[in-house]
Amino acid sequence: MYYQLTLTLLLCLFSATSYAQTSQKVNTPTKQKKLATLEEFRRHIVENLKYPEKALQYHVEGRVFVQFTVEKDGKITHVKLIKGIGYGCDEEALRLVRSAPSVNYRCGCRYTPPQRITRSLVVKFTLPEKEEEETHQ
C-alpha cells in the first residue's frame, strides 16, 4: 500500500513538473543580422560606385569626404558631406554610404562594449580613361 501511494505521488509530481515546463515560454535568442566587416564595407563602396554622368561630361575628378556615425548595433546614421567636388559626385558618395550594410566596427579596444563612433570616409572619383591608362603602363 505504501509503495503504491509513493508511486502515485511521484507520478503526479513528475507529470506536474513536465506540464509546468512545457507551458512556460522559453526565451530563445533571436537571429541577429550578420554585420559586414570593414573589408566588406569598403568593397561595397568600390563595387557600387557609379560615376555621375555630369562629372563624366565635364571630366571632373577628385575626392569627396563623408562623415557618418556607426551606432552600437552597427547601423550607419548621420551621414553628411564634409567636403565635396560637385557635379553629382557628392550625392553619389552620400548614396554609397547610406546604402552600405551595417558594419561590425569596434573602436580599437578589444574588450570594451560596442559604442557609437563617428568616422570619416574618402570616396575617390577617378575618370575611367585614366584608370585604364595607368593599368597599361
Side-chain angles (χ1 to χ4, degrees), residues 14-118:
F14 284 124
S15 64
T17 304
S18 65
Y19 176 74
Q21 287 179 354
T22 57
S23 66
Q24 292 179 351
K25 281 189 175 181
V26 178
N27 290 334
T28 57
T30 57
K31 287 186 179 180
Q32 289 184 347
K33 187 176 168 183
K34 184 182 179 291
L35 299 176
T37 62
L38 288 177
E39 183 60 36
E40 291 169 339
F41 176 76
R42 289 184 187 112
R43 191 176 323 123
H44 167 80
I45 299 295
V46 171
E47 289 175 356
N48 294 303
L49 180 86
K50 295 176 185 160
Y51 217 96
E53 288 296 324
K54 197 171 183 182
L56 284 172
Q57 181 182 357
Y58 290 101
H59 303 287
V60 174
E61 292 183 316
R63 297 180 298 175
V64 177
F65 296 82
V66 178
Q67 185 179 51
F68 58 94
T69 302
V70 179
E71 298 293 336
K72 291 179 183 182
D73 61 355
K75 290 183 183 172
I76 296 173
T77 60
H78 301 89
V79 180
K80 68 178 184 177
L81 182 69
I82 300 297
K83 183 180 176 188
I85 57 175
Y87 297 93
C89 296
D90 305 345
E91 292 80 9
E92 177 62 14
L94 293 172
R95 182 194 69 81
L96 285 170
V97 175
R98 286 185 182 125
S99 68
S102 296
V103 182
N104 184 12
Y105 194 91
R106 293 293 197 150
C107 64
C109 305
R110 189 171 185 178
Y111 299 108
T112 59
Q115 300 174 1
R116 286 181 71 190
I117 188 163
T118 301

